[in-house]
Amino acid sequence: MPIARASSRLVHARRDAGARTRDASRRVRRTRRATPSRDEGSSIEELVDNPSRDASKDAVPSVNSAVGDVISSPLFYVTFGVAGGVGLVRALGENASFLLSAAPIVALTAISKTDFGAELMARIDRERPALDAEKARKEMERAEARGRSAFYGANRVKFLGDLEYEYPAHLDGTLCGDVGFDPLNLAAKSEDLERYRELELLHGRWAMLGVVGAAVPETLDRFGVANLGEPVWWKVGAAKMNSDIALDYLGFSGFHIAGGSGIAVIAACQLVLMGGPEYARYVGINSLEPVGVYLPGDKDYPGGAPFDPFKFSDDAEEFEKQKVMEIKHCRLAMIAALGCAIQAIVTRQGPIENLASVFGVN
């Protein structure tokens, strides 16, 4: 009987070993199929025995990551718009403006549909656990930095200073730039507060760009740096509609705003240029993963190489400080943009001309 029991155990052990071997083989085959970047002759065992082989394969995704960071960066849009745009318009004619405005967005979409784009996405999937862990670590550091900062929390400086006032309960100092200002309780609901903050940042960032866009061309033209045709921001549309004036972009001859096609093409270009980034923002921070770009932040502060190329956000305290500085500049820019519009209506001049007349500068 002991011999029979021993034989039975041996048979079962062999069956179990065979089942485990078959399961392992199936797992290896599935792993091979799910890992298209490996050579067909490679196997899990070879990768374990020869780790240098695997490291050499990972060199390709690192290059892909760098390319993905470049093509998704705002700097790419600026470079393409100024340098590549001059060449394209000269080669294809002024009516190429609409095609030019859509090119960066179309290019990113096309890349995401290729095998190269698939490899970029696969790299993100392979690195996601480590990337998510790093994101969680930075979020913890930033939460600690907010706890130490004078710009956050219940003891932060509020808009009435030391005066007695019953500040809204929903403004508890969690958000950057929160000074307790909501006298009408418009953001009492948490979902409203989140949406209003998103809109405030959105309009503030566009206002900062808009004020610079209104001031810089007039400054360049006033001091003879560049002849832009019509430098005053609110006169540009009328100049395009009522004359054949050439509006050169930053003085580049041949790269005219919307060419000779009029105001309709200007509006179409704006729709594409603004619609693409706004759609990406609406979709979320995962919208660039198909081209290999992992954004570690959120929709308001996406971070990552495209939005923080100099890695200013690596220091948690500096990051939280910069958030407060940005929202303050956003609010000032929105007031400045409103001021530019009112001055244009009242004085019929540009902001630089108004500023010069105040200080008596000729």
Side-chain angles (χ1 to χ4, degrees), residues 263-280:
I263 200 70
V265 175
I266 294 179
C269 291
Q270 288 290 336
L271 178 64
V272 174
L273 285 171
M274 295 174 66
E278 282 305 302
Y279 174 75

Side-chain angles (χ1 to χ4, degrees), residues 260-343:
S261 303
I263 200 70
V265 175
I266 294 179
C269 291
Q270 288 290 336
L271 178 64
V272 174
L273 285 171
M274 295 174 66
E278 282 305 302
Y279 174 75
R281 183 188 62 80
Y282 176 78
V283 170
I285 61 171
N286 298 330
S287 59
L288 289 179
E289 288 189 5
V291 290
V293 180
Y294 175 89
L295 302 179
D298 54 41
K299 62 184 177 182
D300 291 334
Y301 303 95
F307 298 96
D308 185 19
F310 301 109
K311 300 185 182 301
F312 290 133
S313 63
D314 282 356
D315 182 83
E317 294 190 7
E318 183 65 20
F319 175 72
E320 297 300 334
K321 177 183 174 182
Q322 292 289 339
K323 285 169 61 177
V324 175
M325 293 173 62
E326 181 191 35
I327 195 64
K328 288 183 176 181
H329 288 113
C330 281
R331 291 163 180 169
L332 287 173
M334 287 188 284
I335 295 173
L338 178 62
C340 288
I342 294 174
Q343 283 181 319

